């Protein structure tokens, strides 16, 4: 994404909103992944879910005929690198887009392994259970607050106006609100926030962000497209 911003003539820098780490009980997590190896459907919620799942269970082999799903193109690429083709939403890279896939509409009595982390994408499992599926949520990594340092604060302080913040996680946004020094947070709230869904826009407005724009999806292209459109309006 940074390279794409630079190609468009902008400057980009990263401020982490989340810290990802292995589960505290590695043996238990690995056992759950291997125990569910006969699930009919597999859903990986992120590239990190793919990375951590196969780190925990390097010998994991999905059963022949199993359907594999990813929330977005990044997850699809991560699975493809392991020789696993995945079905992903074409219109939007989020939970809502995934749940609109025709293959996941009729899932009564199907056993589905949902690979991710506790607290993330909490719409998927309840919806699939309402549709009659047996969903096993397998947490292969944990989310936590990031460790922000002076380097992150200085980059944010030096950034020129207009500043566009691109974000696709409500948890990450809440973490930034909690961790940024008050002057930097105030500046961020005065600038434009590009979010990946209407649900995240509601979270942002609840966190006192007044200039929120909703991208078509969480993909890098859609987030950057929304930023470019916001930039064009800024210049008018």
């Amino acid at each position: 994404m940074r390279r794409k911003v630079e190609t468009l003539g902008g400057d980009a820098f990263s401020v982490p909103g989340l810290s990802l780490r292995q589960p505290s009980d590695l043996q238990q997590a690995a056992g759950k992944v291997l125990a569910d190896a006969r699930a009919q459907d597999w859903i990986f919620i992120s590239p990190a879910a793919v990375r951590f799942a196969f780190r925990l269970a390097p010998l994991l082999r999905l059963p022949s005929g199993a359907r594999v799903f990813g929330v977005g193109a990044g997850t699809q690429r991560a699975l493809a690198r392991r020789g696993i083709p995945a079905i992903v939403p074409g219109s939007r890279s989020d939970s809502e887009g995934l749940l609109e896939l025709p293959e996941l509409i009729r899932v009564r009595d199907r056993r589905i392994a949902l690979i991710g982390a506790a607290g993330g994408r909490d719409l998927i499992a309840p919806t699939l259970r309402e549709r009659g599926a047996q969903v096993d949520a397998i947490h292969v990594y944990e989310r936590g607050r990031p460790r922000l340092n002076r380097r992150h604060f200085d980059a944010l302080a030096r950034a020129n106006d207009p500043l566009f913040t691109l974000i696709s996680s409500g948890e990450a946004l809440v973490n930034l609100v909690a961790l940024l020094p008050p002057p930097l947070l105030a500046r961020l709230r005065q600038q434009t926030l590009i979010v990946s869904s209407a649900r995240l826009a509601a979270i942002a407005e609840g966190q006192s962000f007044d200039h929120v724009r909703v991208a078509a999806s969480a993909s890098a292209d859609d987030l950057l497209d929304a930023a470019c459109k916001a930039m064009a309006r800024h210049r008018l």
Side-chain angles (χ1 to χ4, degrees):
M1 188 180 288
R2 287 197 298 270
R3 286 194 297 269
K4 289 183 177 184
V5 170
E6 291 163 1
T7 299
L8 293 169
D11 296 318
F13 61 95
S14 297
V15 178
L18 290 169
S19 172
L20 307 183
R21 54 182 177 267
Q22 290 184 325
S24 51
D25 191 332
L26 292 176
Q27 187 173 1
Q28 182 185 46
K32 289 193 68 174
V33 174
L34 293 171
D36 223 47
R38 294 190 179 183
Q40 296 164 292
D41 297 324
W42 291 71
I43 299 173
F44 291 83
I45 68 163
S46 66
V50 178
R51 184 172 71 254
F52 280 97
F54 284 91
R55 183 182 300 172
L56 285 169
L59 301 180
L60 175 64
R61 295 290 182 271
L62 304 189
S64 175
R67 303 186 304 181
V68 181
F69 301 86
V71 172
T75 308
Q76 186 180 44
R77 288 192 295 270
L79 287 163
R81 286 193 289 271
R82 298 184 176 276
I84 302 171
I87 303 166
V88 299
S91 57
R92 50 188 299 181
S93 301
D94 56 19
S95 300
E96 290 83 355
L98 180 83
L99 292 167
E100 288 173 0
L101 286 170
E103 294 87 349
L104 291 176
I105 298 297
R106 292 189 177 92
V107 290
R108 182 166 298 280
D109 297 326
R110 293 188 69 85
R111 184 174 179 181
I112 300 175
L114 180 60
I115 311 299
R121 301 199 181 277
D122 54 5
L123 180 65
I124 297 174
T127 302
L128 293 176
R129 287 178 181 133
E130 288 175 2
R131 295 174 183 176
Q134 176 189 337
V135 181
D136 297 327
I138 303 174
H139 302 148
V140 296
Y141 66 99
E142 297 175 353
R143 292 183 179 86
R145 284 188 172 182
R147 294 182 179 178
L148 300 185
N149 56 38
R150 178 55 56 188
R151 176 171 57 86
H152 301 118
F153 300 150
D154 288 347
L156 185 54
R158 290 194 306 266
N160 295 325
D161 291 340
L163 174 64
F164 300 95
T165 302
L166 280 54
I167 196 160
S168 59
S169 164
E171 187 178 357
L173 180 59
V174 170
N175 285 342
L176 291 178
V177 170
L179 296 174
L180 287 176
L184 294 181
L185 177 59
R187 186 188 179 208
L188 210 63
R189 284 173 166 154
Q190 293 167 1
Q191 301 289 328
T192 301
L193 189 69
I194 307 294
V195 300
S196 57
S197 68
R199 177 171 55 87
L200 186 49
I203 294 174
E205 289 163 4
Q207 294 289 339
S208 301
F209 288 84
D210 296 326
H211 308 288
V212 182
R213 300 289 182 268
V214 181
S217 79
S219 73
D221 287 341
D222 284 338
L223 288 168
L224 289 175
D225 181 63
C228 288
K229 290 177 180 176
M231 183 68 178
R233 286 192 293 267
H234 177 83
R235 286 172 171 167
L236 294 176

